[in-house]
């Protein structure tokens, strides 16, 4: 295992491109807005393929599971989605942010 | 996301170009804007502001919502000396997101085998830095403790206003270095910017731990812009 490989898996956009070039269906999730103490800044990416493999992060682990399952729908439909996560809404019980912040995540298919 | 946009975006990032990926959140269409590209109207003004601050975010223009994802080149770390500490520091700094360059004229040290995957120049700093000059977005770490190799890049770093400048060596070694740089005509206040002994005081006892101490101090300088407020590692 070379350091080069490690670094590529740490760069979600590079991972998305190599998955795409390998013929895999890919979705890109992006943090577009944050309120309060959000774990990852605006612009952070999580990339997901149709099998649920993923790289990068949008929250440091709190909501990735939910984003990955939404990404499966986005990959099959091709329609982008805007997801809201926070402690104030009902989803908080399932996948809320323990830090008390709120984030908006845009999920889109590549191609 | 347009597959071509993804390719162009990654290419621009590899070439250290400042770009913004613009996504229309209404219809999902996106495009890549390079710094200096002319974009008309309110969107153009929002793009200009985003390039200036380096901050990604939403922009509402004529009733439409856009997301502007700003990609500016990562900070650079130039390491003088292809020594044991550098063999650990270089990959660690790359993982932390820095563009890393290692310079050492001693070809026995500067070998690709010792620095797999790291940008390496087996030239004197005088020559290597001519091609890739230091700037305010660069941190300089000098770890040869050989004045013939370290002094020139340290002087260049002070003149270029590198955001972090650190030099390995004992207090005695550094005192002699301060004298030499003073004789070279540099002001004491400028020389005082050099972090020496190098690295945060975490009791680092071996090359990998010293690399952690150095990288932490570089990150502190980048994110807090107060290198002087960070306690120095006490080095024997």
């Amino acid at each position: 295992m070379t350091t080069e490989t490690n670094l590529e898996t740490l760069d979600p956009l590079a991972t998305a491109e190599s998955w795409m070039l390998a013929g895999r269906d890919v979705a890109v999730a992006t943090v577009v807005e944050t309120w309060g103490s959000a774990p990852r800044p605006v612009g952070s990416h999580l990339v997901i393929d149709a099998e649920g493999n993923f790289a990068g992060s949008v929250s440091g682990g709190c909501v990735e599971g939910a984003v990955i399952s939404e990404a499966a729908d986005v990959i099959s439909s091709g329609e982008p989605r805007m997801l809201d996560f926070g402690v104030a809404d009902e989803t908080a019980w399932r996948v809320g942010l323990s830090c008390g912040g709120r984030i908006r995540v845009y999920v889109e298919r590549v191609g | 996301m347009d597959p071509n946009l993804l390719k162009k975006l990654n290419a621009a990032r590899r070439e250290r170009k400042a770009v913004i990926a613009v996504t229309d959140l209404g219809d999902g269409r996106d495009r890549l804007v390079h710094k200096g590209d002319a974009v008309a109207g309110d969107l153009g003004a929002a793009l200009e502001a985003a390039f200036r601050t380096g901050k990604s975010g939403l922009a509402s223009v004529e009733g439409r919502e856009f997301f502007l994802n700003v990609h500016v080149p990562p900070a650079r770390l130039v390491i003088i000396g292809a020594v044991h500490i550098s063999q650990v520091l270089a990959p660690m700094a790359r993982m932390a997101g820095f563009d890393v360059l290692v310079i050492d004229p001693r070809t026995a040290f500067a070998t690709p085998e010792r620095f797999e995957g790291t940008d390496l120049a087996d030239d004197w700093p005088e020559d290597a830095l001519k091609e890739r000059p230091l700037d305010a977005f660069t941190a300089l770490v000098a770890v040869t403790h050989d004045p013939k190799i370290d002094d020139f890049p340290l002087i260049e770093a002070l003149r270029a206003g590198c955001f972090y400048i650190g030099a390995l060596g004992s207090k005695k070694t550094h005192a002699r270095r301060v004298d030499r740089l003073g004789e070279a005509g540099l002001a004491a206040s400028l020389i005082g910017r050099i972090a020496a002994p190098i690295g945060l005081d975490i009791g680092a006892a071996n090359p990998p731990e010293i690399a952690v101490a150095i990288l932490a101090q570089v990150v502190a300088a980048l994110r807090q812009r107060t290198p002087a407020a960070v306690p120095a590692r006490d080095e024997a």
Side-chain angles (χ1 to χ4, degrees):
Chain A
M1 190 169 67
T2 67
T3 308
E4 218 40 55
T5 323
N6 287 337
L7 287 180
E8 182 166 312
T9 59
L10 287 177
D11 182 338
L13 292 177
T15 303
E17 185 176 345
S18 69
W19 285 354
M20 175 185 89
L21 295 175
R24 289 152 76 172
D25 288 322
V26 184
V28 174
T30 308
V31 178
V32 295
E33 206 169 8
T34 66
W35 297 264
S37 62
R40 297 281 290 127
V42 169
S44 302
H45 291 295
L46 174 71
V47 303
I48 308 103
D49 77 358
E51 273 73 55
N53 296 301
F54 63 95
S57 67
V58 289
S59 78
C62 308
V63 304
E64 269 73 7
V67 175
I68 290 162
S69 68
E70 293 280 346
D73 295 342
V74 169
I75 287 173
S76 56
S77 73
E79 288 301 313
R81 273 187 202 175
M82 190 68 82
L83 310 176
D84 278 278
F85 297 101
V87 290
D89 60 39
E90 190 215 338
T91 55
W93 290 104
R94 285 176 284 140
V95 293
L97 295 164
S98 54
C99 53
R102 261 179 77 202
I103 60 173
R104 257 173 104 201
V105 178
Y106 183 72
V107 188
E108 60 188 318
R109 188 174 73 182
V110 178
Chain B
M1 180 183 276
D2 177 2
N4 277 322
L5 177 122
L6 180 58
K7 285 187 195 170
K8 285 193 286 185
L9 173 58
N10 282 335
R13 290 165 66 227
R14 281 192 298 272
E15 291 160 19
R16 286 184 70 84
K17 286 183 180 152
V19 291
I20 296 179
V22 183
T23 306
D24 184 329
L25 296 178
D27 60 15
R29 281 203 254 182
D30 48 28
R31 65 163 159 156
L32 196 67
V33 177
H34 282 76
K35 194 172 186 180
D37 284 359
V39 177
D42 292 346
L43 184 59
L47 286 164
E48 218 169 275
F51 272 123
R52 204 167 48 241
T53 62
K55 286 213 160 70
S56 302
L58 298 168
S60 289
V61 178
E62 289 154 16
R64 286 157 74 188
E65 197 177 29
F66 293 90
F67 179 64
L68 313 183
N69 207 348
V70 184
H71 297 269
V72 292
R76 269 203 318 165
L77 174 64
V78 173
I79 304 172
I80 307 299
V83 298
H84 194 171
I85 293 170
S86 317
Q87 283 180 278
V88 188
L89 178 58
M92 267 177 25
R94 286 163 53 220
M95 283 186 179
F98 290 87
D99 277 355
V100 176
L101 170 64
V102 175
I103 302 172
D104 197 323
R106 301 168 300 177
T107 49
F109 286 89
T111 68
E113 292 75 32
R114 285 162 52 83
F115 288 90
E116 197 185 327
T118 295
D119 200 355
L120 188 64
D122 58 354
D123 293 317
W124 285 90
E126 284 84 336
D127 299 320
L129 295 179
K130 218 176 278 167
E131 284 163 38
R132 285 183 275 187
L134 301 171
D135 57 38
F137 306 103
T138 302
L140 183 104
V141 167
V143 288
T144 73
H145 37 36
D146 180 342
K148 287 199 304 297
I149 304 173
D150 282 351
D151 280 6
F152 174 83
L154 284 171
I155 292 167
E156 282 298 295
L158 290 169
R159 290 195 174 133
C162 287
F163 74 85
Y164 172 87
I165 304 165
L168 189 74
S170 66
K171 289 196 169 108
K172 214 196 271 176
T173 303
H174 188 61
R176 285 197 295 268
R177 181 186 288 134
V178 168
D179 290 344
R180 286 194 308 276
L181 298 183
E183 283 160 22
L186 287 149
S189 58
L190 208 53
I191 299 169
R193 283 203 58 221
I194 299 175
I198 197 170
L200 294 191
D201 184 7
I202 56 170
N206 53 44
E209 292 178 7
I210 294 168
V212 170
I214 295 172
L215 185 57
Q217 200 172 39
V218 171
V219 171
L222 176 67
R223 299 300 176 197
Q224 302 174 329
R225 309 273 168 176
T226 53
V230 178
R233 201 174 64 85
D234 202 19
E235 201 173 355

